[in-house]
PDB file of all heavy atoms in Angstrom:
ATOM      1  N   SER A   1       0.511 -35.326 138.175  1.00 98.00           N
ATOM      2  CA  SER A   1       0.804 -35.048 136.774  1.00 98.00           C
ATOM      3  C   SER A   1       0.833 -33.544 136.501  1.00 98.00           C
ATOM      4  O   SER A   1       0.126 -32.741 137.247  1.00 98.00           O
ATOM      5  CB  SER A   1      -0.221 -35.728 135.833  1.00 98.00           C
ATOM      6  OG  SER A   1      -0.295 -37.118 136.112  1.00 98.00           O
ATOM      7  N   THR A   2       1.576 -33.190 135.528  1.00 98.00           N
ATOM      8  CA  THR A   2       1.579 -31.717 135.135  1.00 98.00           C
ATOM      9  C   THR A   2       0.237 -31.179 134.809  1.00 98.00           C
ATOM     10  O   THR A   2      -0.062 -29.978 135.136  1.00 98.00           O
ATOM     11  CB  THR A   2       2.581 -31.422 134.062  1.00 98.00           C
ATOM     12  OG1 THR A   2       2.286 -32.310 132.976  1.00 98.00           O
ATOM     13  CG2 THR A   2       4.020 -31.619 134.514  1.00 98.00           C
ATOM     14  N   ASN A   3      -0.659 -32.008 134.189  1.00 97.00           N
ATOM     15  CA  ASN A   3      -1.963 -31.438 133.875  1.00 97.00           C
ATOM     16  C   ASN A   3      -2.912 -31.412 135.018  1.00 97.00           C
ATOM     17  O   ASN A   3      -4.030 -31.052 134.931  1.00 97.00           O
ATOM     18  CB  ASN A   3      -2.562 -32.278 132.680  1.00 97.00           C
ATOM     19  CG  ASN A   3      -2.917 -33.729 133.102  1.00 97.00           C
ATOM     20  OD1 ASN A   3      -2.555 -34.129 134.226  1.00 97.00           O
ATOM     21  ND2 ASN A   3      -3.658 -34.424 132.189  1.00 97.00           N
ATOM     22  N   ASN A   4      -2.461 -31.789 136.238  1.00 98.00           N
ATOM     23  CA  ASN A   4      -3.213 -31.537 137.482  1.00 98.00           C
ATOM     24  C   ASN A   4      -2.919 -30.228 138.113  1.00 98.00           C
ATOM     25  O   ASN A   4      -3.451 -29.929 139.189  1.00 98.00           O
ATOM     26  CB  ASN A   4      -2.889 -32.703 138.477  1.00 98.00           C
ATOM     27  CG  ASN A   4      -3.295 -34.067 138.018  1.00 98.00           C
ATOM     28  OD1 ASN A   4      -2.465 -35.043 138.222  1.00 98.00           O
ATOM     29  ND2 ASN A   4      -4.400 -34.133 137.385  1.00 98.00           N
ATOM     30  N   VAL A   5      -2.003 -29.353 137.442  1.00 98.00           N
ATOM     31  CA  VAL A   5      -1.508 -28.145 138.059  1.00 98.00           C
ATOM     32  C   VAL A   5      -1.967 -26.968 137.170  1.00 98.00           C
ATOM     33  O   VAL A   5      -1.876 -27.012 135.963  1.00 98.00           O
ATOM     34  CB  VAL A   5       0.028 -28.153 138.101  1.00 98.00           C
ATOM     35  CG1 VAL A   5       0.497 -26.805 138.768  1.00 98.00           C
ATOM     36  CG2 VAL A   5       0.456 -29.334 138.928  1.00 98.00           C
ATOM     37  N   LEU A   6      -2.470 -25.939 137.818  1.00 98.00           N
ATOM     38  CA  LEU A   6      -2.716 -24.605 137.152  1.00 98.00           C
ATOM     39  C   LEU A   6      -1.674 -23.665 137.716  1.00 98.00           C
ATOM     40  O   LEU A   6      -1.507 -23.496 138.918  1.00 98.00           O
ATOM     41  CB  LEU A   6      -4.098 -24.088 137.533  1.00 98.00           C
ATOM     42  CG  LEU A   6      -4.415 -22.651 137.216  1.00 98.00           C
ATOM     43  CD1 LEU A   6      -4.315 -22.439 135.649  1.00 98.00           C
ATOM     44  CD2 LEU A   6      -5.755 -22.205 137.646  1.00 98.00           C
ATOM     45  N   PHE A   7      -0.868 -23.076 136.767  1.00 98.00           N
ATOM     46  CA  PHE A   7       0.223 -22.119 137.087  1.00 98.00           C
ATOM     47  C   PHE A   7      -0.241 -20.726 136.842  1.00 98.00           C
ATOM     48  O   PHE A   7      -0.740 -20.412 135.687  1.00 98.00           O
ATOM     49  CB  PHE A   7       1.441 -22.452 136.330  1.00 98.00           C
ATOM     50  CG  PHE A   7       2.600 -21.466 136.570  1.00 98.00           C
ATOM     51  CD1 PHE A   7       3.006 -21.175 137.839  1.00 98.00           C
ATOM     52  CD2 PHE A   7       3.272 -21.051 135.449  1.00 98.00           C
ATOM     53  CE1 PHE A   7       4.045 -20.325 138.046  1.00 98.00           C
ATOM     54  CE2 PHE A   7       4.363 -20.119 135.731  1.00 98.00           C
ATOM     55  CZ  PHE A   7       4.754 -19.767 137.001  1.00 98.00           C
ATOM     56  N   LEU A   8      -0.194 -19.853 137.796  1.00 98.00           N
ATOM     57  CA  LEU A   8      -0.553 -18.404 137.550  1.00 98.00           C
ATOM     58  C   LEU A   8       0.745 -17.572 137.625  1.00 98.00           C
ATOM     59  O   LEU A   8       1.455 -17.621 138.629  1.00 98.00           O
ATOM     60  CB  LEU A   8      -1.517 -17.927 138.657  1.00 98.00           C
ATOM     61  CG  LEU A   8      -2.835 -18.717 138.857  1.00 98.00           C
ATOM     62  CD1 LEU A   8      -3.616 -18.096 139.909  1.00 98.00           C
ATOM     63  CD2 LEU A   8      -3.580 -18.813 137.547  1.00 98.00           C
ATOM     64  N   THR A   9       0.962 -16.730 136.622  1.00 98.00           N
ATOM     65  CA  THR A   9       2.150 -15.891 136.482  1.00 98.00           C
ATOM     66  C   THR A   9       1.757 -14.731 135.640  1.00 98.00           C
ATOM     67  O   THR A   9       0.879 -14.735 134.866  1.00 98.00           O
ATOM     68  CB  THR A   9       3.373 -16.717 135.912  1.00 98.00           C
ATOM     69  OG1 THR A   9       4.532 -15.799 135.884  1.00 98.00           O
ATOM     70  CG2 THR A   9       3.091 -17.197 134.488  1.00 98.00           C
ATOM     71  N   ASP A  10       2.652 -13.703 135.808  1.00 97.00           N
ATOM     72  CA  ASP A  10       2.467 -12.442 134.946  1.00 97.00           C
ATOM     73  C   ASP A  10       3.454 -12.496 133.821  1.00 97.00           C
ATOM     74  O   ASP A  10       3.439 -11.586 132.967  1.00 97.00           O
ATOM     75  CB  ASP A  10       2.719 -11.179 135.836  1.00 97.00           C
ATOM     76  CG  ASP A  10       4.103 -11.151 136.372  1.00 97.00           C
ATOM     77  OD1 ASP A  10       4.565 -12.059 137.035  1.00 97.00           O
ATOM     78  OD2 ASP A  10       4.775 -10.109 136.135  1.00 97.00           O
ATOM     79  N   VAL A  11       4.376 -13.474 133.735  1.00 97.00           N
ATOM     80  CA  VAL A  11       5.399 -13.452 132.755  1.00 97.00           C
ATOM     81  C   VAL A  11       5.125 -14.604 131.719  1.00 97.00           C
ATOM     82  O   VAL A  11       5.060 -15.778 131.972  1.00 97.00           O
ATOM     83  CB  VAL A  11       6.798 -13.871 133.417  1.00 97.00           C
ATOM     84  CG1 VAL A  11       7.882 -13.811 132.392  1.00 97.00           C
ATOM     85  CG2 VAL A  11       7.103 -12.823 134.547  1.00 97.00           C
ATOM     86  N   THR A  12       4.937 -14.120 130.433  1.00 97.00           N
ATOM     87  CA  THR A  12       4.522 -15.028 129.396  1.00 97.00           C
ATOM     88  C   THR A  12       5.624 -16.110 129.100  1.00 97.00           C
ATOM     89  O   THR A  12       5.187 -17.260 128.675  1.00 97.00           O
ATOM     90  CB  THR A  12       4.129 -14.283 128.150  1.00 97.00           C
ATOM     91  OG1 THR A  12       5.199 -13.456 127.735  1.00 97.00           O
ATOM     92  CG2 THR A  12       2.854 -13.404 128.416  1.00 97.00           C
ATOM     93  N   ARG A  13       6.898 -15.752 129.203  1.00 97.00           N
ATOM     94  CA  ARG A  13       7.860 -16.806 129.006  1.00 97.00           C
ATOM     95  C   ARG A  13       7.773 -17.916 129.951  1.00 97.00           C
ATOM     96  O   ARG A  13       7.981 -19.150 129.636  1.00 97.00           O
ATOM     97  CB  ARG A  13       9.332 -16.127 129.038  1.00 97.00           C
ATOM     98  CG  ARG A  13       9.667 -15.273 127.929  1.00 97.00           C
ATOM     99  CD  ARG A  13      11.044 -14.783 128.085  1.00 97.00           C
ATOM    100  NE  ARG A  13      12.042 -15.713 127.903  1.00 97.00           N
ATOM    101  CZ  ARG A  13      13.291 -15.698 128.499  1.00 97.00           C
ATOM    102  NH1 ARG A  13      13.576 -14.675 129.279  1.00 97.00           N
ATOM    103  NH2 ARG A  13      14.122 -16.650 128.318  1.00 97.00           N
ATOM    104  N   GLU A  14       7.361 -17.632 131.272  1.00 98.00           N
ATOM    105  CA  GLU A  14       7.173 -18.704 132.210  1.00 98.00           C
ATOM    106  C   GLU A  14       5.950 -19.440 131.850  1.00 98.00           C
ATOM    107  O   GLU A  14       5.912 -20.672 131.987  1.00 98.00           O
ATOM    108  CB  GLU A  14       7.072 -18.062 133.607  1.00 98.00           C
ATOM    109  CG  GLU A  14       8.313 -17.350 134.028  1.00 98.00           C
ATOM    110  CD  GLU A  14       8.185 -16.683 135.343  1.00 98.00           C
ATOM    111  OE1 GLU A  14       7.081 -16.695 135.972  1.00 98.00           O
ATOM    112  OE2 GLU A  14       9.127 -15.961 135.797  1.00 98.00           O
ATOM    113  N   ALA A  15       4.883 -18.786 131.455  1.00 98.00           N
ATOM    114  CA  ALA A  15       3.660 -19.401 131.102  1.00 98.00           C
ATOM    115  C   ALA A  15       3.851 -20.406 129.986  1.00 98.00           C
ATOM    116  O   ALA A  15       3.298 -21.480 129.970  1.00 98.00           O
ATOM    117  CB  ALA A  15       2.604 -18.397 130.725  1.00 98.00           C
ATOM    118  N   ASN A  16       4.690 -19.933 128.989  1.00 98.00           N
ATOM    119  CA  ASN A  16       4.931 -20.824 127.816  1.00 98.00           C
ATOM    120  C   ASN A  16       5.658 -22.091 128.231  1.00 98.00           C
ATOM    121  O   ASN A  16       5.419 -23.198 127.839  1.00 98.00           O
ATOM    122  CB  ASN A  16       5.807 -20.057 126.817  1.00 98.00           C
ATOM    123  CG  ASN A  16       6.045 -20.822 125.545  1.00 98.00           C
ATOM    124  OD1 ASN A  16       5.164 -21.216 124.836  1.00 98.00           O
ATOM    125  ND2 ASN A  16       7.367 -21.090 125.247  1.00 98.00           N
ATOM    126  N   ALA A  17       6.729 -21.904 129.100  1.00 98.00           N
ATOM    127  CA  ALA A  17       7.477 -23.075 129.665  1.00 98.00           C
ATOM    128  C   ALA A  17       6.523 -24.029 130.417  1.00 98.00           C
ATOM    129  O   ALA A  17       6.665 -25.242 130.213  1.00 98.00           O
ATOM    130  CB  ALA A  17       8.598 -22.649 130.489  1.00 98.00           C
ATOM    131  N   ALA A  18       5.660 -23.536 131.248  1.00 98.00           N
ATOM    132  CA  ALA A  18       4.725 -24.411 131.980  1.00 98.00           C
ATOM    133  C   ALA A  18       3.755 -25.163 131.052  1.00 98.00           C
ATOM    134  O   ALA A  18       3.476 -26.287 131.143  1.00 98.00           O
ATOM    135  CB  ALA A  18       3.965 -23.596 132.960  1.00 98.00           C
ATOM    136  N   GLU A  19       3.337 -24.368 130.051  1.00 98.00           N
ATOM    137  CA  GLU A  19       2.382 -24.933 129.020  1.00 98.00           C
ATOM    138  C   GLU A  19       3.065 -26.047 128.266  1.00 98.00           C
ATOM    139  O   GLU A  19       2.479 -27.114 127.955  1.00 98.00           O
ATOM    140  CB  GLU A  19       1.923 -23.885 128.123  1.00 98.00           C
ATOM    141  CG  GLU A  19       0.659 -24.255 127.353  1.00 98.00           C
ATOM    142  CD  GLU A  19       0.137 -23.072 126.541  1.00 98.00           C
ATOM    143  OE1 GLU A  19       0.828 -22.587 125.628  1.00 98.00           O
ATOM    144  OE2 GLU A  19      -0.999 -22.683 126.721  1.00 98.00           O
ATOM    145  N   GLU A  20       4.321 -25.853 127.933  1.00 98.00           N
ATOM    146  CA  GLU A  20       5.125 -26.861 127.219  1.00 98.00           C
ATOM    147  C   GLU A  20       5.234 -28.232 128.027  1.00 98.00           C
ATOM    148  O   GLU A  20       5.323 -29.293 127.457  1.00 98.00           O
ATOM    149  CB  GLU A  20       6.578 -26.355 126.870  1.00 98.00           C
ATOM    150  CG  GLU A  20       6.565 -25.410 125.671  1.00 98.00           C
ATOM    151  CD  GLU A  20       7.991 -25.053 125.410  1.00 98.00           C
ATOM    152  OE1 GLU A  20       8.990 -25.501 126.109  1.00 98.00           O
ATOM    153  OE2 GLU A  20       8.175 -24.235 124.420  1.00 98.00           O
ATOM    154  N   ALA A  21       5.204 -28.042 129.347  1.00 98.00           N
ATOM    155  CA  ALA A  21       5.238 -29.176 130.259  1.00 98.00           C
ATOM    156  C   ALA A  21       3.864 -29.758 130.474  1.00 98.00           C
ATOM    157  O   ALA A  21       3.721 -30.702 131.270  1.00 98.00           O
ATOM    158  CB  ALA A  21       5.884 -28.747 131.573  1.00 98.00           C
ATOM    159  N   ASP A  22       2.825 -29.222 129.788  1.00 98.00           N
ATOM    160  CA  ASP A  22       1.495 -29.654 129.923  1.00 98.00           C
ATOM    161  C   ASP A  22       0.774 -29.234 131.124  1.00 98.00           C
ATOM    162  O   ASP A  22      -0.166 -29.910 131.582  1.00 98.00           O
ATOM    163  CB  ASP A  22       1.373 -31.258 129.739  1.00 98.00           C
ATOM    164  CG  ASP A  22      -0.026 -31.679 129.314  1.00 98.00           C
ATOM    165  OD1 ASP A  22      -0.683 -30.973 128.634  1.00 98.00           O
ATOM    166  OD2 ASP A  22      -0.338 -32.844 129.665  1.00 98.00           O
ATOM    167  N   MET A  23       1.194 -28.142 131.756  1.00 98.00           N
ATOM    168  CA  MET A  23       0.450 -27.462 132.869  1.00 98.00           C
ATOM    169  C   MET A  23      -0.626 -26.591 132.261  1.00 98.00           C
ATOM    170  O   MET A  23      -0.448 -26.057 131.152  1.00 98.00           O
ATOM    171  CB  MET A  23       1.363 -26.725 133.727  1.00 98.00           C
ATOM    172  CG  MET A  23       2.103 -27.555 134.773  1.00 98.00           C
ATOM    173  SD  MET A  23       2.896 -26.457 136.023  1.00 98.00           S
ATOM    174  CE  MET A  23       3.817 -27.745 137.013  1.00 98.00           C
ATOM    175  N   HIS A  24      -1.711 -26.344 132.947  1.00 98.00           N
ATOM    176  CA  HIS A  24      -2.630 -25.376 132.683  1.00 98.00           C
ATOM    177  C   HIS A  24      -2.110 -23.989 133.124  1.00 98.00           C
ATOM    178  O   HIS A  24      -1.333 -23.923 134.124  1.00 98.00           O
ATOM    179  CB  HIS A  24      -4.037 -25.643 133.353  1.00 98.00           C
ATOM    180  CG  HIS A  24      -4.579 -26.976 132.966  1.00 98.00           C
ATOM    181  ND1 HIS A  24      -5.287 -27.129 131.783  1.00 98.00           N
ATOM    182  CD2 HIS A  24      -4.549 -28.159 133.507  1.00 98.00           C
ATOM    183  CE1 HIS A  24      -5.706 -28.387 131.696  1.00 98.00           C
ATOM    184  NE2 HIS A  24      -5.303 -28.987 132.760  1.00 98.00           N
TER     185      HIS A  24
END
């Protein structure tokens, strides 16, 4: 599931997209 994933990035637009998909 997306909430089983932690995404590390320096780009906030990417962070926002991942968060919208319910990733940490």
Side-chain angles (χ1 to χ4, degrees):
S1 298
T2 50
N3 69 349
N4 298 137
V5 182
L6 169 64
F7 179 48
L8 304 183
T9 180
D10 63 309
V11 180
T12 54
R13 287 181 68 207
E14 296 173 5
N16 183 60
E19 196 174 63
E20 282 183 0
D22 202 27
M23 279 191 183
H24 299 279

